Amino acid sequence: AQQLGMRSVIELMAALRDQKGVDARGLEPPEPLLRILSAVAALRPGETLHALTDRRPLHLIAELAARGLPAESTPLPDDTWLTHIRRP
């Protein structure tokens, strides 16, 4: 996993404010999965969703793979996870 730099964190927070992402931190399972999948359903081809979670999103990654959607998760310095999901 690659380390996320400060610029990337700032860009991520701006994207989340602009409704291009989901901040699912602090939610109990399965709520993060449900919210992220709901947002993914609205993605148009070529768009990317950024999601923040408290845990490594193993169930989310499996569900996305089953739907043919590429995703990449990266641990953040505060022990949360950032997942990028792209609709081809």
Side-chain angles (χ1 to χ4, degrees):
Q2 67 185 41
Q3 190 70 321
L4 195 64
M6 182 54 77
R7 181 176 177 191
S8 296
V9 170
I10 292 169
E11 290 170 353
L12 168 68
M13 297 313 291
L16 289 172
R17 279 193 303 275
D18 292 339
Q19 306 301 318
K20 296 175 189 170
V22 175
D23 185 349
R25 295 172 298 173
L27 302 174
E28 291 297 318
E31 194 62 30
L33 176 71
L34 298 175
R35 287 192 188 188
I36 295 167
L37 290 177
S38 177
V40 165
L43 286 178
R44 292 183 296 217
E47 288 187 325
T48 300
L49 178 78
H50 309 284
L52 287 171
T53 54
D54 289 322
R55 300 167 188 83
R56 187 173 184 186
L58 297 175
H59 297 292
L60 174 66
I61 298 298
E63 184 63 35
L64 293 168
R67 296 175 185 210
L69 297 169
E72 179 182 309
S73 292
T74 304
L76 300 178
D78 65 354
D79 294 326
T80 60
W81 287 79
L82 170 62
T83 302
H84 304 281
I85 305 156
R86 187 170 191 285
R87 181 168 301 281

